[in-house]
Amino acid sequence: MKMRALWIAIYLMVLLWSVSNPKDMFTWWLEALPALIALPILFFSRKNFPLTSLAYGLILVHCCVLFVGARYTYAEVPLFDWLAQVMGSDRNNYDKVGHFAQGFIPVILAREIFIRKQVMQVGAWCQFLAVCFVLAFSAFYELIEWWVAAATGENAEAFLGTQGYVWDTQSDMFLALIGGIVSLLVLTPLHNKQIQHISY
């Protein structure tokens, strides 16, 4: 109960900070929408399908990543502007953090659903299909960016965050792939342990 209250408190604090003074309100809605949708989904599924504490923690981290990007736009996060200057780069790479997280976090959610719904048993095929899910999810998100850009024109430039990089879409999906693989390599033992102890 305490962990749930802490989770909600952190989520709401970062949400309020993010929406208090965003760079552009239209872009804020585009970037923050997945995190906003996550809250009611988690609330209504908490009794029938409570997740592991690892999964809940990762979702919170992902929401925070989204809220930071929504406040500043992914091309103008101040810390990454500073890092770009230090490294002699013209590009703000915060969006790459977001796409790495797009693999690192959903792969655990996919894996948890596969195992607990008995779609797959723990093992190599489960890991492989969880990574396939991440790649499909990342590709679908790139399609959403394309559709939004086509529908809104220049208004979606901050949402796309390509910053003139011709291989932006491909590198985004590659980082999601790397994120998913790294997550499974690092977190699988802990995730297995938590799945064994969760009541469902």
Side-chain angles (χ1 to χ4, degrees):
M1 192 68 175
K2 290 182 180 179
M3 291 302 297
R4 184 186 301 169
L6 179 62
W7 194 103
I8 294 172
I10 294 172
Y11 177 97
L12 291 177
M13 284 190 296
V14 180
L15 167 60
L16 292 174
W17 166 82
S18 177
V19 75
S20 63
N21 187 29
K23 174 79 175 179
D24 175 74
M25 202 63 202
F26 175 72
T27 303
W28 187 90
W29 279 106
L30 292 175
E31 301 291 6
L33 188 60
L36 298 175
I37 292 172
L39 187 62
I41 290 175
L42 295 177
F43 177 80
F44 288 112
S45 67
R46 74 192 191 285
K47 290 184 178 179
N48 293 330
F49 195 78
L51 300 173
T52 58
S53 58
L54 174 63
Y56 281 126
L58 289 173
I59 291 170
L60 179 60
V61 170
H62 204 175
C63 289
C64 291
V65 169
L66 292 170
F67 286 146
V68 170
R71 178 183 171 97
Y72 295 112
T73 77
Y74 280 79
E76 299 183 44
V77 174
L79 174 61
F80 283 77
D81 276 341
W82 175 79
L83 286 174
Q85 290 179 356
V86 170
M87 299 174 68
S89 171
D90 295 329
R91 193 180 197 283
N92 186 307
N93 282 310
Y94 184 75
D95 67 316
K96 300 310 177 190
V97 173
H99 284 282
F100 181 86
Q102 197 179 67
F104 192 89
I105 292 161
V107 78
I108 294 297
L109 299 177
R111 185 177 189 274
E112 184 154 331
I113 292 170
F114 289 164
I115 294 170
R116 291 178 56 195
K117 290 295 185 180
Q118 299 180 342
V119 177
M120 297 290 297
Q121 295 180 343
V122 174
W125 276 107
C126 181
Q127 306 290 73
F128 173 72
L129 289 178
V131 171
C132 288
F133 170 83
V134 160
L135 278 175
F137 181 77
S138 179
F140 181 65
Y141 198 82
E142 295 298 326
L143 290 174
I144 291 174
E145 289 185 346
W146 171 39
W147 295 332
V148 170
T152 61
E154 293 183 2
N155 289 336
E157 185 176 343
F159 177 56
L160 289 173
T162 59
Q163 301 178 66
Y165 182 39
V166 67
W167 301 113
D168 184 71
T169 298
Q170 290 82 356
S171 67
D172 288 348
M173 290 189 288
F174 179 68
L175 280 167
L177 171 63
I178 296 300
I181 293 171
V182 170
S183 182
L184 292 179
L185 290 174
V186 173
L187 298 177
T188 289
L190 174 61
H191 195 218
N192 285 341
K193 188 178 297 184
Q194 291 193 2
I195 287 176
Q196 288 174 359
H197 288 91
I198 197 168
S199 58
Y200 57 94

